[in-house]
């Protein structure tokens, strides 16, 4: 039963998969208590309410706008902040805004990654609209934008136009199964070249999408990625931003289904006995901090290949395009049974990261390009869907 309970933890961004053995020593007594009869409790720990949007998508809303939006809110986005806010004008017209208290000022100082997440949202919106026979006309930053910071201006005006000639996108079938997969990837399985090629070709054309699977690039990206994870984890304000967004246990996750969710009975017990808390995870001297690094290491070390997305300009429109192409690559991989996890740390624009940012650009960007996304790909184990706020909470009626 303990083993089953532990399997549940895989949806968390920061679970102690590797550190489990060490951790079990610490809470040996507690595991005996669980084994002795807490099976009923264990079975109730999945944050089902926070996962409802994944089962409600496409089923609850009759109008084409809400129907497409019910899929769009499942888009990948940094730290699962779900910054989208939709001003609904009618069943076919809406304006997308960014909710400005959902930014990540420490790790994403220019809101570049938040913008990429909004691009993912718009791409899924368009794919879902096409599925029900609508063409999504998306006008990006209609009132202009600021390259240093997002502001109250619209991210996009969206109009749905009924169009019987609209081609459906085969990636639609992957929207509900897409995940960010933070498990150890099986390096004994090679990814077929044809699958790598399909991911390489999945973009819309405005972004350079490249799959890298030569041994040298993989080794270099693993090393840079790990160094960057260490820099971020050991820079208190940067790590503190993530720790502040942690939701530990079912109650916290269901109350605020965003941020970094640490769920499952294993982590709930660890939290209840005071071992895994926001304080211990922020404290470099704690066991929980050390075990979280143990957990992260194999996530850097196992990759069948990496994917990078690079743009010639680094403006808001190219960041939206990068998001649209990132989610297309993620959906394409999903169709092929291949897992994906972004590794964004080395691409982040803050002082402590400068050297690694320079290194990764020198090695993998072409002249003048900005690397917008880096992700590892491979064969992970299945993970449950990440929490989402219900669609109604993301809509403001205009
Ligand atoms: C721009 C961007 C950067 C991201 N960076 C990371 C990252 O560095 N590490 C990671 O594990 N996930 C990263 N993610 C994935 C998000 O954390 C994930 O999409 C979110 O938690 C929701 O989970 P889901 O993709 O499974 O729906 C990133 C996603 C985006 C769009």
């Amino acid at each position: 039963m303990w083993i089953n309970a532990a399997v549940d933890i895989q949806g968390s961004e920061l679970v102690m998969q590797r550190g489990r053995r060490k951790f079990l020593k610490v809470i040996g007594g507690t595991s005996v208590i669980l084994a002795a009869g807490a099976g009923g409790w264990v079975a109730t720990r999945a944050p089902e309410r926070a996962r409802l949007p994944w089962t409600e998508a496409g089923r609850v809303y009759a109008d084409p706008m809400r129907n497409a939006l019910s899929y769009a809110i499942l888009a990948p986005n940094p730290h699962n902040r779900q910054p989208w806010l939709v001003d609904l004008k009618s069943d076919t017209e809406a304006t997308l805004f960014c909710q400005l208290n959902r930014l990540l000022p420490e790790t994403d100082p220019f809101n570049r990654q938040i913008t990429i997440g909004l691009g993912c949202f718009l791409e899924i919106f368009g794919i879902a609209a096409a599925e029900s026979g609508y063409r999504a006309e998306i006008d990006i930053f209609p009132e202009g934008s600021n390259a240093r910071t997002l502001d109250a201006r619209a991210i996009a005006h969206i109009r749905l136009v009924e169009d019987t000639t609209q081609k459906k996108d085969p990636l639609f079938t992957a929207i509900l199964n897409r995940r960010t997969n933070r498990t150890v990837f099986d390096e004994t399985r090679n990814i077929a070249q044809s699958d790598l090629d399909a991911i390489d070709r999945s973009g819309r054309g405005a972004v350079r999408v490249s799959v890298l699977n030569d041994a040298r690039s993989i080794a270099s990206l693993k090393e840079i990625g790990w160094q960057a994870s260490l820099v971020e984890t050991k820079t208190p304000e940067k790590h503190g931003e993530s720790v502040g967004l942690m939701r530990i246990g079912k109650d916290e996750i269901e109350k605020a289904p965003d941020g970094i969710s640490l769920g499952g009975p294993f982590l709930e017990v660890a939290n209840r006995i005071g071992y895994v808390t926001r304080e211990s995870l922020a404290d470099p001297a704690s066991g929980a901090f050390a075990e979280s690094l143990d957990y992260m290491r194999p996530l850097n070390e196992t990759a069948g290949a990496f994917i990078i997305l690079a743009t010639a300009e680094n403006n808001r429109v190219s960041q939206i395009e990068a998001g649209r192409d990132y989610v297309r690559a993620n959906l394409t991989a999903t169709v092929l049974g291949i897992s994906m996890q972004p590794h964004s740390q080395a691409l982040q624009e803050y002082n402590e990261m400068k050297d690694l940012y320079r290194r990764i650009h020198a090695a993998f960007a072409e002249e003048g390009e900005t690397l917008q996304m880096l992700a590892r790909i491979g064969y992970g184990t299945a993970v449950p869907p990440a929490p989402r706020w219900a669609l109604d909470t993301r809509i403001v009626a205009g």
Side-chain angles (χ1 to χ4, degrees), residues 30-338:
T30 318
S31 63
V32 172
I33 293 168
L34 270 180
W41 179 80
V42 166
T44 65
R45 303 330 290 160
E48 274 153 18
R49 187 149 42 88
R51 292 180 183 150
L52 270 181
W54 292 90
T55 43
E56 290 181 352
R59 292 181 173 199
V60 173
Y61 301 101
D63 69 277
M65 179 58 80
R66 283 190 178 80
N67 184 62
L69 289 171
S70 71
Y71 289 99
I73 59 168
L74 308 178
N77 66 100
H79 274 357
N80 206 13
R81 292 301 280 142
Q82 301 164 56
W84 33 77
L85 209 53
V86 180
D87 183 356
L88 216 52
K89 307 273 186 225
S90 72
D91 286 355
T92 53
E93 260 185 88
T95 304
L96 173 66
F97 290 97
C98 176
Q99 192 175 354
L100 297 174
N101 61 3
R102 290 179 168 267
L103 305 177
L104 297 162
E106 291 292 345
T107 53
D108 183 29
F110 305 118
N111 319 138
R112 181 185 59 82
Q113 297 184 79
I114 287 284
T115 309
I116 292 175
L118 292 163
C120 297
F121 178 98
L122 289 170
E123 182 63 15
I124 294 196
F125 178 88
I127 295 173
E131 191 66 21
S132 39
Y134 286 83
R135 187 176 69 249
E137 293 184 353
I138 300 175
D139 186 8
I140 296 169
F141 293 106
E143 298 141 25
S145 61
N146 181 334
R148 291 198 73 78
T149 179
L150 287 176
D151 53 35
R153 285 175 288 180
I155 303 295
H157 283 322
I158 306 172
R159 212 161 68 94
L160 287 175
V161 182
E162 206 163 358
D163 182 353
T164 48
T165 65
Q166 179 66 37
K167 255 178 74 185
K168 292 185 178 181
D169 192 321
L171 295 182
F172 175 78
T173 56
I175 294 174
L176 300 180
N177 301 324
R178 187 207 57 78
R179 310 276 181 262
T180 295
N181 191 309
R182 300 180 191 87
T183 64
V184 174
F185 291 177
D186 180 356
E187 286 197 311
T188 64
R189 283 179 73 186
N190 286 327
I191 309 173
Q193 190 57 47
S194 54
D195 288 355
L196 293 174
D197 291 345
I199 296 171
D200 206 272
R201 284 195 308 264
S202 61
R204 291 158 26 98
V207 174
R208 182 167 69 86
V209 180
S210 287
V211 171
L212 303 167
N213 70 332
D214 61 289
R216 217 169 134 215
S217 297
I218 291 176
S220 168
L221 287 167
K222 283 179 180 176
E223 197 262 325
I224 295 175
W226 177 240
Q227 294 305 327
S229 296
L230 288 179
V231 167
E232 177 158 327
T233 314
K234 294 183 174 174
T235 307
E237 322 79 82
K238 311 300 166 196
H239 185 52
E241 182 173 79
S242 304
V243 170
L245 291 170
M246 285 174 183
R247 320 286 183 229
I248 307 177
K250 178 179 175 176
D251 293 349
E252 284 191 16
I253 295 170
E254 293 207 321
K255 203 163 153 218
D258 58 25
I260 300 171
S261 40
L262 307 185
F266 177 77
L267 276 168
E268 280 202 42
V269 172
N271 178 243
R272 284 180 193 199
I273 64 169
Y275 187 74
V276 174
T277 61
R278 266 177 283 277
E279 292 70 29
S280 69
L281 287 166
D283 175 7
S286 75
F289 184 95
E291 288 190 32
S292 66
L293 287 181
D294 283 357
Y295 160 71
M296 279 157 54
R297 184 95 213 222
L299 304 193
N300 274 277
E301 277 173 357
T302 56
F306 281 90
I307 178 173
I308 54 171
L309 280 79
T311 56
E313 304 285 330
N314 184 26
N315 56 33
R316 293 293 172 207
V317 174
S318 49
Q319 292 160 8
I320 291 281
E321 284 297 337
R324 295 186 77 155
D325 275 7
Y326 173 70
V327 77
R328 294 191 67 78
N330 196 180
L331 291 168
T332 304
T334 305
V335 168
L336 299 168
I338 293 170

Side-chain angles (χ1 to χ4, degrees), residues 1-12 15 17 20 24 27 30-31 34-35 38-46 51 263-269 384:
M1 180 186 55
W2 179 256
I3 298 298
N4 288 341
V7 168
D8 231 353
I9 64 180
Q10 288 180 344
S12 311
V15 290
Q17 216 174 354
R20 193 147 64 220
L24 280 177
I27 61 157
T30 318
S31 63
L34 270 180
W41 179 80
V42 166
T44 65
R45 303 330 290 160
R51 292 180 183 150
F266 177 77
L267 276 168
E268 280 202 42
V269 172

